[in-house]
Amino acid sequence: MSEASRFKRPRESDETGNEGDANMKNLNNLPDHVLVDIISRLKMKEAIRTSVLSKRWEYLWTSKSDFEFKEGCNDKRYFKSIVDGALASHNSSSINEFRLSCKVRRDGSHIKTWVCAAVKRNVHLVHITLNSGLVLPSCLLTCATLTSLCLNLRSTLSVPTSVCLSALKFLDLACVKFSVDNSIQKLLSGCPVLEKLEFCECNWTKLSSLSISAPMLQSLEIIEYTFFGFGSNPSNIDGCQVAIFGTNNLKSFTYCGALENEYCIYNSPAIENVHLDVAYNGGRGNFFAHKAYKLMNGLANAEKLILIDEIMKILSDAEELLPYIPMFQRLAHLQLEIRSVNLDCKPLLKLLRCSHYLKTLDFNEGISLLSDFSKNDDLMNPVPHCLLNEVKSITIEKFSGNEKALQAVELLLKNALVLENMTITCIANSGRLHRKVTKLSKRFPKGSESCKVIVYSDVY
């Protein structure tokens, strides 16, 4: 029984009555392009079900250009009949989006047939989520109309010898195991106009090296699998050496992981936004610190730098490398999402001294000190150039209000000579803490007479 035949067309005697008939008549009177637009907004199953509404609606769903099939708890044969029927009945010469999420089992040939059917209809976007391995059909990886490809395979990536995706601009690989047969290298080499590349929870352990060269690449995101426990292999302790070059147009770089792999970025003069979320691996601190320094050296042209988690702790494990922190000649915005970061942390002070043109400084997870500023007025000697001449805005969130946190604020106010405003948000919605911080901040000596200090209380 087809999906459409499961529903009977309403008759005049149905419970919907005259009001329902009138509504249906009004709906049928709408122009064709309006009905097609309505169909385009429905999911595939819902669109197919509209075929029972009237003669005019019977084949209207076949005009859909976006196909989404997600296998649920229904019988596998039922799911296959839905996909087969939809692709067979589709009367348009092109498909915009083809999204498929299902279990492979022994149906790899069916899945390949469905993908090939989409390719024959000049598909633009393909998003495939599978629960096990499947050799991708050759036609998919030579599709001249494909602009976006998302593969969530939870298995080893296997591609044919020839890869030519001449129009592909977005590639997203999730839960993919990279093999030693160089499949990932062949895939990347076959994407000459790639603009956005994402790796999410992939397994790199079988690779010793990988080169990423994409002259049109604008955005690169790497989320390592180690955060989610996907197939870690402790035997490959050195990880994969990933060289990223030929990316003169790269504007955005995001990394989230424990530095299991070594990333070296070369020649990225146009980079604007950098987001580093680094977790402390535990043990071999100096080894991972070297990887962190290498990564940061390739990002020296960033305009905005967001640092999260324990990266300062990792950099502190190799203080002998502090002189090699690069000069950030374009950095205007530094955002620290590091829990109660210590202002007198050596890597942080070095980073500030290497950022001469920094304009805004955000401490999103609080601020503190390691040393006692009241007993040692020489903690920030020499004062970073950016504090003396450039920093105009400082934001501190989740402010605890304890002695060390207040000393950190005093240190900043004293040395930021051109500061225009400092915004402090207390960690607790406490009127007493708010009044305390406001009162003390007014007493602190200010290097900038025009600086305004605004104190808020956080409300949960």
Side-chain angles (χ1 to χ4, degrees):
M1 182 182 296
S2 69
E3 177 72 11
S5 64
R6 291 165 58 87
F7 299 87
K8 293 182 178 180
R9 189 171 297 133
R11 301 187 301 269
E12 292 184 4
S13 59
D14 286 346
E15 295 180 0
T16 55
N18 293 332
E19 183 179 353
D21 292 340
N23 290 336
M24 191 67 244
K25 184 177 180 180
N26 291 335
L27 192 61
N28 281 331
N29 288 334
L30 292 173
D32 287 345
H33 72 274
V34 175
L35 297 184
V36 171
D37 183 64
I38 293 173
I39 287 290
S40 70
R41 298 172 188 271
L42 299 177
K43 293 183 179 180
M44 180 54 67
K45 283 188 177 181
E46 296 170 342
I48 294 176
R49 287 170 181 169
T50 63
S51 62
V52 302
L53 294 177
S54 69
K55 283 287 186 181
R56 190 179 180 196
W57 286 80
E58 189 168 0
Y59 297 104
L60 197 61
W61 68 269
T62 61
S63 64
K64 270 184 70 67
S65 61
D66 297 339
F67 280 41
E68 182 174 3
F69 304 103
K70 185 175 182 180
E71 183 180 3
C73 300
N74 295 321
D75 182 72
K76 179 70 174 180
R77 288 179 297 178
Y78 173 72
F79 176 74
K80 288 166 61 178
S81 68
I82 290 293
V83 183
D84 286 338
L87 290 173
S89 303
H90 186 250
N91 63 6
S92 175
S93 60
S94 65
I95 292 178
N96 182 46
E97 295 185 9
F98 180 78
R99 298 175 180 269
L100 176 66
S101 176
C102 65
K103 299 176 182 179
V104 176
R105 298 190 184 97
R106 297 180 180 178
D107 298 315
S109 60
H110 282 91
I111 295 173
K112 289 183 179 180
T113 299
W114 297 335
V115 173
C116 290
V119 171
K120 289 179 180 178
R121 289 172 172 81
N122 303 312
V123 67
H124 291 183
L125 181 152
V126 171
H127 191 141
I128 300 175
T129 300
L130 304 175
N131 68 327
S132 60
L134 178 73
V135 178
L136 298 174
S138 300
C139 64
L140 176 64
L141 299 180
T142 55
C143 179
T145 59
L146 192 63
T147 59
S148 179
L149 176 62
C150 305
L151 301 174
N152 187 331
L153 302 181
R154 295 201 173 273
S155 63
T156 300
L157 178 69
S158 180
V159 302
T161 303
S162 177
V163 177
C164 182
L165 296 170
S166 57
L168 193 72
K169 294 185 177 181
F170 175 47
L171 176 62
D172 180 4
L173 302 175
C175 300
V176 173
K177 295 181 181 180
F178 300 137
S179 61
V180 294
D181 68 354
N182 223 21
S183 281
I184 179 60
Q185 194 73 71
K186 286 189 291 185
L187 178 57
L188 294 177
S189 299
C191 307
V193 297
L194 196 64
E195 294 181 1
K196 187 175 183 180
L197 175 61
E198 295 181 3
F199 299 99
C200 182
E201 300 181 55
C202 292
N203 188 323
W204 306 69
T205 55
K206 297 295 184 180
L207 286 182
S208 59
S209 63
L210 174 66
S211 296
I212 299 176
S213 178
M216 305 298 291
L217 192 66
Q218 297 181 20
S219 175
L220 175 60
E221 181 175 308
I222 301 173
I223 311 297
E224 282 187 350
Y225 67 87
T226 48
F227 272 98
F228 311 95
F230 178 64
S232 180
N233 182 1
S235 63
N236 187 13
I237 57 176
D238 293 329
C240 177
Q241 292 185 336
V242 184
I244 304 163
F245 60 95
T247 52
N248 291 334
N249 293 298
L250 186 65
K251 294 181 179 180
S252 175
F253 176 79
T254 298
Y255 171 81
C256 178
L259 294 172
E260 292 290 334
N261 302 309
E262 182 178 290
Y263 301 96
C264 296
I265 302 177
Y266 304 96
N267 300 326
S268 297
I271 196 161
E272 296 175 358
N273 300 307
V274 173
H275 188 130
L276 300 181
D277 186 352
V278 181
Y280 187 64
N281 205 299
R284 304 184 72 203
N286 187 275
F287 174 74
F288 291 103
H290 277 72
K291 291 185 177 182
Y293 278 99
K294 284 187 177 181
L295 178 58
M296 291 189 68
N297 266 279
L299 303 169
N301 288 310
E303 294 182 6
K304 180 178 181 180
L305 178 60
I306 301 176
L307 301 179
I308 300 179
D309 218 338
E310 298 172 306
I311 187 167
M312 290 301 166
K313 183 177 181 180
I314 294 173
L315 295 175
S316 297
D317 284 336
E319 288 190 8
E320 71 276 8
L321 296 178
L322 284 177
Y324 298 99
I325 286 184
M327 294 298 298
F328 288 84
Q329 298 287 1
R330 301 170 65 219
L331 188 64
H333 183 181
L334 177 60
Q335 182 173 320
L336 301 169
E337 298 185 14
I338 302 169
R339 190 179 308 170
S340 195
V341 63
N342 294 304
L343 185 59
D344 51 348
C345 168
K346 290 183 179 179
L348 175 56
L349 286 175
K350 179 62 176 178
L351 179 58
L352 291 176
R353 292 187 179 113
C354 291
S355 306
H356 285 185
Y357 303 102
L358 194 66
K359 298 292 189 297
T360 62
L361 184 55
D362 295 343
F363 300 90
N364 288 5
E365 294 286 336
I367 193 171
S368 188
L369 282 176
L370 286 171
S371 306
D372 192 338
F373 170 57
S374 62
K375 297 179 181 178
N376 182 6
D377 195 23
D378 199 36
L379 292 179
M380 201 175 279
N381 184 20
V383 178
H385 177 273
C386 63
L387 286 178
L388 296 175
N389 301 283
E390 299 292 339
V391 175
K392 295 185 178 181
S393 174
I394 296 178
T395 300
I396 304 173
E397 298 182 9
K398 298 184 180 180
F399 188 70
S400 66
N402 61 32
E403 181 181 359
K404 294 292 187 181
L406 287 167
Q407 287 181 0
V409 168
E410 183 179 0
L411 187 61
L412 286 170
L413 287 174
K414 177 182 178 180
N415 291 286
L417 301 187
V418 296
L419 190 64
E420 295 178 355
N421 60 77
M422 175 183 284
T423 304
I424 301 174
T425 303
C426 297
I427 195 169
N429 186 19
S430 166
R432 182 179 179 182
L433 177 59
H434 182 279
R435 288 190 296 270
K436 172 188 173 183
V437 175
T438 302
K439 182 179 180 180
L440 290 175
S441 63
K442 288 181 179 179
R443 293 181 180 178
F444 293 152
K446 297 183 179 68
S448 172
E449 295 182 358
S450 61
C451 176
K452 295 180 180 180
V453 180
I454 303 173
V455 182
Y456 297 100
S457 293
D458 201 356
V459 179
Y460 292 96

